[in-house]
Amino acid sequence: MGLFSWLFGSGAKTQLGRPLISDIAVSIPGDDGTPATKNQIDAIERTTCEPPLGNLTYQQAAAIMSARSYSKFVMDDVLSEPGVGHPRRPDYLALQANLIAFIVRDP
């Protein structure tokens, strides 16, 4: 209920933290271990609350970036509804990061 109060602006002062990289970097079956690119790492650093792990692979980063795109689409769709206030950028990014963690961890 706290998330809905925060998201829909009922005046509650809920603080939503961002997940750690360890919460969103999942193992990928068949991953060949190719390192993530600098562009992937830069984008992921803006999403989480800590720098990516040094051994983040290209496929792990691609999965995170795919979940990031999907979560942005979902959030923007919900936030475009009449009467729904758009959260401040830090809050938006925190919510997005938590959605990414949920998406990549859900089998």
Side-chain angles (χ1 to χ4, degrees):
M1 188 67 166
L3 177 62
F4 290 110
S5 298
W6 171 83
L7 181 60
F8 295 109
S10 69
K13 298 287 184 186
T14 304
Q15 181 68 26
L16 185 63
R18 293 186 190 184
L20 302 174
I21 188 67
S22 57
D23 294 328
I24 64 173
V26 296
S27 61
I28 307 289
D31 192 345
D32 63 4
T34 302
T37 67
K38 179 168 178 12
N39 288 339
Q40 287 175 317
I41 290 172
D42 290 345
I44 292 168
E45 283 179 343
R46 291 188 300 270
T47 303
T48 62
C49 63
E50 65 180 353
L53 301 170
N55 59 351
L56 191 65
T57 69
Y58 180 85
Q59 289 187 5
Q60 287 175 315
I64 293 166
M65 298 304 296
S66 177
R68 180 177 174 236
S69 296
Y70 178 73
S71 66
K72 180 181 180 339
F73 172 78
V74 170
M75 288 175 49
D76 289 347
D77 186 52
V78 169
L79 295 172
S80 69
E81 295 295 318
V84 177
H86 200 288
R88 297 181 338 265
R89 181 146 177 85
D91 293 335
Y92 178 93
L93 292 175
L95 180 58
Q96 184 182 38
N98 281 281
L99 284 173
I100 292 168
F102 174 77
I103 292 166
V104 298
R105 293 232 170 251
D106 184 46

